[in-house]
CSV table of all heavy atoms in Angstrom, one decimal:
chain,number,residue,atom,x,y,z
A,439,ARG,N,-173.8,56.9,35.1
A,439,ARG,CA,-173.2,58.0,34.4
A,439,ARG,C,-173.5,57.8,32.9
A,439,ARG,O,-173.6,56.7,32.4
A,439,ARG,CB,-171.6,57.9,34.5
A,439,ARG,CG,-171.1,58.1,35.9
A,439,ARG,CD,-171.4,59.4,36.6
A,439,ARG,NE,-170.8,60.5,35.8
A,439,ARG,CZ,-171.0,61.8,36.1
A,439,ARG,NH1,-171.9,62.1,37.0
A,439,ARG,NH2,-170.5,62.7,35.4
A,440,LEU,N,-173.6,58.9,32.2
A,440,LEU,CA,-173.7,58.9,30.8
A,440,LEU,C,-172.4,58.8,30.1
A,440,LEU,O,-171.4,59.4,30.6
A,440,LEU,CB,-174.5,60.1,30.3
A,440,LEU,CG,-175.9,60.3,30.7
A,440,LEU,CD1,-176.4,61.7,30.3
A,440,LEU,CD2,-176.8,59.2,30.1
A,441,ALA,N,-172.3,58.2,29.0
A,441,ALA,CA,-171.1,58.2,28.2
A,441,ALA,C,-170.8,59.7,27.8
A,441,ALA,O,-171.7,60.4,27.4
A,441,ALA,CB,-171.2,57.3,26.9
A,442,GLY,N,-169.6,60.1,28.0
A,442,GLY,CA,-169.3,61.5,27.7
A,442,GLY,C,-169.5,62.4,28.9
A,442,GLY,O,-169.2,63.6,28.9
A,443,GLY,N,-170.0,61.9,30.0
A,443,GLY,CA,-170.2,62.6,31.2
A,443,GLY,C,-171.6,62.9,31.5
A,443,GLY,O,-172.5,62.8,30.7
A,444,GLY,N,-171.9,63.3,32.7
A,444,GLY,CA,-173.2,63.6,33.2
A,444,GLY,C,-173.9,62.4,33.9
A,444,GLY,O,-173.6,61.3,33.7
A,445,PRO,N,-174.7,62.8,34.9
A,445,PRO,CA,-175.4,61.7,35.7
A,445,PRO,C,-176.6,61.1,35.0
A,445,PRO,O,-177.2,61.7,34.1
A,445,PRO,CB,-175.9,62.5,36.9
A,445,PRO,CG,-176.2,63.9,36.4
A,445,PRO,CD,-175.1,64.1,35.3
A,446,VAL,N,-177.0,60.0,35.5
A,446,VAL,CA,-178.3,59.3,35.1
A,446,VAL,C,-178.7,58.5,36.3
A,446,VAL,O,-177.9,57.9,36.9
A,446,VAL,CB,-178.1,58.4,33.8
A,446,VAL,CG1,-177.1,57.3,34.0
A,446,VAL,CG2,-179.5,57.9,33.4
A,447,GLU,N,-180.0,58.6,36.6
A,447,GLU,CA,-180.6,57.8,37.7
A,447,GLU,C,-180.5,56.3,37.4
A,447,GLU,O,-180.7,55.9,36.2
A,447,GLU,CB,-182.1,58.1,37.8
A,447,GLU,CG,-182.5,59.4,38.4
A,447,GLU,CD,-184.0,59.5,38.5
A,447,GLU,OE1,-184.8,58.8,37.7
A,447,GLU,OE2,-184.5,60.3,39.3
A,448,ALA,N,-180.2,55.5,38.4
A,448,ALA,CA,-180.2,54.1,38.2
A,448,ALA,C,-181.7,53.7,37.9
A,448,ALA,O,-182.6,54.3,38.4
A,448,ALA,CB,-179.7,53.4,39.4
A,449,GLY,N,-181.8,52.7,37.1
A,449,GLY,CA,-183.2,52.1,36.8
A,449,GLY,C,-183.9,52.7,35.6
A,449,GLY,O,-185.0,52.2,35.3
A,450,VAL,N,-183.4,53.6,34.9
A,450,VAL,CA,-184.0,54.2,33.7
A,450,VAL,C,-183.9,53.2,32.6
A,450,VAL,O,-182.8,52.8,32.2
A,450,VAL,CB,-183.5,55.6,33.3
A,450,VAL,CG1,-184.3,56.1,32.1
A,450,VAL,CG2,-183.6,56.5,34.5
A,451,PRO,N,-185.0,52.7,32.0
A,451,PRO,CA,-185.0,51.7,30.9
A,451,PRO,C,-184.4,52.2,29.6
A,451,PRO,O,-184.4,53.4,29.3
A,451,PRO,CB,-186.4,51.2,30.8
A,451,PRO,CG,-187.2,52.0,31.7
A,451,PRO,CD,-186.4,53.1,32.4
A,452,PHE,N,-184.0,51.2,28.8
A,452,PHE,CA,-183.7,51.4,27.4
A,452,PHE,C,-184.7,52.3,26.7
A,452,PHE,O,-185.9,52.0,26.8
A,452,PHE,CB,-183.5,50.1,26.7
A,452,PHE,CG,-183.4,50.2,25.2
A,452,PHE,CD1,-182.2,50.4,24.6
A,452,PHE,CD2,-184.5,50.0,24.4
A,452,PHE,CE1,-182.1,50.5,23.2
A,452,PHE,CE2,-184.4,50.1,23.0
A,452,PHE,CZ,-183.2,50.4,22.4
A,453,GLY,N,-184.3,53.2,25.9
A,453,GLY,CA,-185.2,54.0,25.0
A,453,GLY,C,-185.9,55.1,25.8
A,453,GLY,O,-186.6,55.9,25.1
A,454,HIS,N,-185.7,55.3,27.1
A,454,HIS,CA,-186.3,56.4,27.8
A,454,HIS,C,-185.4,57.6,27.8
A,454,HIS,O,-184.2,57.5,27.5
A,454,HIS,CB,-186.7,55.9,29.2
A,454,HIS,CG,-187.9,55.1,29.3
A,454,HIS,ND1,-189.0,55.4,30.0
A,454,HIS,CD2,-188.2,53.9,28.7
A,454,HIS,CE1,-190.0,54.5,29.8
A,454,HIS,NE2,-189.5,53.5,29.1
A,455,LYS,N,-186.0,58.7,28.2
A,455,LYS,CA,-185.3,60.0,28.2
A,455,LYS,C,-184.7,60.3,29.6
A,455,LYS,O,-185.4,60.0,30.6
A,455,LYS,CB,-186.2,61.1,27.7
A,455,LYS,CG,-186.7,60.9,26.3
A,455,LYS,CD,-187.8,61.9,25.9
A,455,LYS,CE,-189.1,61.8,26.8
A,455,LYS,NZ,-189.7,60.5,26.7
A,456,VAL,N,-183.6,61.0,29.6
A,456,VAL,CA,-183.0,61.5,30.8
A,456,VAL,C,-182.6,63.0,30.5
A,456,VAL,O,-182.1,63.4,29.5
A,456,VAL,CB,-181.7,60.7,31.1
A,456,VAL,CG1,-180.9,61.3,32.3
A,456,VAL,CG2,-182.0,59.3,31.4
A,457,ALA,N,-182.9,63.8,31.5
A,457,ALA,CA,-182.5,65.3,31.4
A,457,ALA,C,-181.0,65.4,31.4
A,457,ALA,O,-180.3,64.8,32.2
A,457,ALA,CB,-183.1,66.0,32.6
A,458,VAL,N,-180.5,66.2,30.5
A,458,VAL,CA,-179.0,66.5,30.5
A,458,VAL,C,-178.8,67.9,31.0
A,458,VAL,O,-177.6,68.3,31.2
A,458,VAL,CB,-178.4,66.4,29.1
A,458,VAL,CG1,-178.5,64.9,28.6
A,458,VAL,CG2,-179.1,67.3,28.1
A,459,ALA,N,-179.8,68.6,31.4
A,459,ALA,CA,-179.7,70.0,32.0
A,459,ALA,C,-180.9,70.1,32.9
A,459,ALA,O,-181.9,69.4,32.7
A,459,ALA,CB,-179.7,71.0,30.9
A,460,ALA,N,-180.9,71.1,33.8
A,460,ALA,CA,-182.0,71.4,34.6
A,460,ALA,C,-183.2,71.9,33.7
A,460,ALA,O,-182.9,72.6,32.8
A,460,ALA,CB,-181.7,72.4,35.7
A,461,ILE,N,-184.4,71.4,34.0
A,461,ILE,CA,-185.6,71.8,33.2
A,461,ILE,C,-186.6,72.4,34.2
A,461,ILE,O,-187.0,71.7,35.1
A,461,ILE,CB,-186.2,70.7,32.4
A,461,ILE,CG1,-185.1,70.0,31.5
A,461,ILE,CG2,-187.4,71.1,31.6
A,461,ILE,CD1,-185.6,68.7,30.8
A,462,ALA,N,-186.9,73.7,34.1
A,462,ALA,CA,-187.8,74.3,35.0
A,462,ALA,C,-189.3,73.9,34.7
A,462,ALA,O,-189.6,73.5,33.6
A,462,ALA,CB,-187.7,75.8,34.8
A,463,GLN,N,-190.1,74.0,35.8
A,463,GLN,CA,-191.5,73.7,35.6
A,463,GLN,C,-192.1,74.6,34.5
A,463,GLN,O,-191.8,75.8,34.4
A,463,GLN,CB,-192.3,73.9,36.9
A,463,GLN,CG,-193.7,73.6,36.8
A,463,GLN,CD,-194.4,73.7,38.1
A,463,GLN,OE1,-193.8,73.8,39.2
A,463,GLN,NE2,-195.7,73.6,38.1
A,464,GLY,N,-192.8,74.0,33.5
A,464,GLY,CA,-193.4,74.7,32.4
A,464,GLY,C,-192.5,74.9,31.2
A,464,GLY,O,-192.9,75.2,30.1
A,465,GLU,N,-191.2,74.6,31.4
A,465,GLU,CA,-190.2,74.7,30.3
A,465,GLU,C,-190.4,73.6,29.3
A,465,GLU,O,-190.8,72.5,29.6
A,465,GLU,CB,-188.8,74.6,30.8
A,465,GLU,CG,-187.7,74.9,29.8
A,465,GLU,CD,-186.3,74.8,30.4
A,465,GLU,OE1,-186.2,74.9,31.6
A,465,GLU,OE2,-185.4,74.7,29.6
A,466,ALA,N,-190.1,73.9,28.0
A,466,ALA,CA,-190.2,72.9,26.9
A,466,ALA,C,-189.2,71.9,27.1
A,466,ALA,O,-188.0,72.1,27.5
A,466,ALA,CB,-190.0,73.6,25.6
A,467,VAL,N,-189.6,70.6,26.8
A,467,VAL,CA,-188.7,69.5,26.8
A,467,VAL,C,-188.4,69.2,25.3
A,467,VAL,O,-189.3,69.1,24.5
A,467,VAL,CB,-189.3,68.2,27.4
A,467,VAL,CG1,-188.5,67.0,27.3
A,467,VAL,CG2,-189.7,68.5,28.9
A,468,ARG,N,-187.1,69.3,25.0
A,468,ARG,CA,-186.7,69.2,23.6
A,468,ARG,C,-185.9,67.9,23.4
A,468,ARG,O,-184.9,67.6,24.1
A,468,ARG,CB,-185.8,70.4,23.2
A,468,ARG,CG,-186.6,71.6,23.1
A,468,ARG,CD,-185.7,72.8,22.6
A,468,ARG,NE,-186.4,74.0,22.3
A,468,ARG,CZ,-186.9,74.8,23.3
A,468,ARG,NH1,-186.7,74.6,24.5
A,468,ARG,NH2,-187.6,75.9,22.9
A,469,LYS,N,-186.3,67.1,22.3
A,469,LYS,CA,-185.6,65.9,21.9
A,469,LYS,C,-185.5,65.9,20.4
A,469,LYS,O,-186.5,66.2,19.7
A,469,LYS,CB,-186.5,64.7,22.4
A,469,LYS,CG,-185.9,63.4,21.9
A,469,LYS,CD,-186.9,62.3,22.4
A,469,LYS,CE,-186.5,60.9,21.8
A,469,LYS,NZ,-187.4,59.9,22.2
A,470,TYR,N,-184.3,65.7,19.9
A,470,TYR,CA,-184.0,65.7,18.5
A,470,TYR,C,-184.4,67.0,17.8
A,470,TYR,O,-184.9,67.0,16.7
A,470,TYR,CB,-184.7,64.5,17.8
A,470,TYR,CG,-184.4,63.1,18.3
A,470,TYR,CD1,-185.4,62.1,18.2
A,470,TYR,CD2,-183.3,62.8,19.0
A,470,TYR,CE1,-185.1,60.9,18.8
A,470,TYR,CE2,-183.0,61.6,19.5
A,470,TYR,CZ,-184.0,60.6,19.4
A,470,TYR,OH,-183.7,59.3,19.9
A,471,GLY,N,-184.3,68.1,18.6
A,471,GLY,CA,-184.6,69.4,18.0
A,471,GLY,C,-186.1,69.8,18.0
A,471,GLY,O,-186.4,70.8,17.5
A,472,VAL,N,-186.9,68.9,18.6
A,472,VAL,CA,-188.3,69.1,18.6
A,472,VAL,C,-188.9,69.2,20.0
A,472,VAL,O,-188.5,68.5,20.9
A,472,VAL,CB,-189.0,67.9,17.9
A,472,VAL,CG1,-190.5,68.0,17.9
A,472,VAL,CG2,-188.5,67.8,16.5
A,473,VAL,N,-189.8,70.1,20.3
A,473,VAL,CA,-190.5,70.2,21.6
A,473,VAL,C,-191.4,69.0,21.6
A,473,VAL,O,-192.3,68.9,20.8
A,473,VAL,CB,-191.2,71.6,21.7
A,473,VAL,CG1,-192.1,71.5,23.0
A,473,VAL,CG2,-190.3,72.7,21.7
A,474,ILE,N,-191.2,68.2,22.6
A,474,ILE,CA,-192.1,67.0,22.8
A,474,ILE,C,-193.0,67.1,24.0
A,474,ILE,O,-193.8,66.2,24.2
A,474,ILE,CB,-191.2,65.7,22.9
A,474,ILE,CG1,-190.3,65.8,24.1
A,474,ILE,CG2,-190.4,65.5,21.6
A,474,ILE,CD1,-189.7,64.5,24.5
A,475,GLY,N,-192.9,68.2,24.7
A,475,GLY,CA,-193.8,68.4,25.9
A,475,GLY,C,-193.2,69.5,26.8
A,475,GLY,O,-192.3,70.2,26.4
A,476,HIS,N,-193.8,69.6,28.0
A,476,HIS,CA,-193.4,70.6,28.9
A,476,HIS,C,-193.3,70.0,30.3
A,476,HIS,O,-194.1,69.1,30.7
A,476,HIS,CB,-194.4,71.7,28.9
A,476,HIS,CG,-194.4,72.5,27.7
A,476,HIS,ND1,-195.1,72.2,26.6
A,476,HIS,CD2,-193.7,73.7,27.4
A,476,HIS,CE1,-194.8,73.0,25.6
A,476,HIS,NE2,-194.0,73.9,26.1
A,477,ALA,N,-192.3,70.4,31.1
A,477,ALA,CA,-192.1,69.9,32.4
A,477,ALA,C,-193.3,70.3,33.3
A,477,ALA,O,-193.7,71.4,33.4
A,477,ALA,CB,-190.8,70.4,33.0
A,478,THR,N,-193.8,69.3,34.0
A,478,THR,CA,-194.9,69.6,35.0
A,478,THR,C,-194.4,69.9,36.4
A,478,THR,O,-195.1,70.3,37.2
A,478,THR,CB,-195.9,68.3,35.1
A,478,THR,OG1,-195.1,67.2,35.5
A,478,THR,CG2,-196.5,68.1,33.8
A,479,ARG,N,-193.1,69.8,36.5
A,479,ARG,CA,-192.4,70.1,37.8
A,479,ARG,C,-190.9,70.3,37.4
A,479,ARG,O,-190.5,69.9,36.3
A,479,ARG,CB,-192.6,69.1,38.9
A,479,ARG,CG,-192.0,67.7,38.5
A,479,ARG,CD,-192.0,66.8,39.7
A,479,ARG,NE,-191.5,65.5,39.5
A,479,ARG,CZ,-190.2,65.2,39.4
A,479,ARG,NH1,-189.3,66.2,39.4
A,479,ARG,NH2,-189.8,64.0,39.2
A,480,PRO,N,-190.1,70.9,38.3
A,480,PRO,CA,-188.7,71.0,38.0
A,480,PRO,C,-188.0,69.6,37.8
A,480,PRO,O,-188.4,68.6,38.5
A,480,PRO,CB,-188.1,71.7,39.2
A,480,PRO,CG,-189.2,72.4,39.9
A,480,PRO,CD,-190.4,71.5,39.6
């Protein structure tokens, strides 16, 4: 679980990213207000 609510997969290391919403294939991935890539699958 994430602090404040929401799921997180077990095993994700420190400093890595976790989706807080569903991200469709091809959709922009946004971190800190910046597009950092695009999802290659849902």
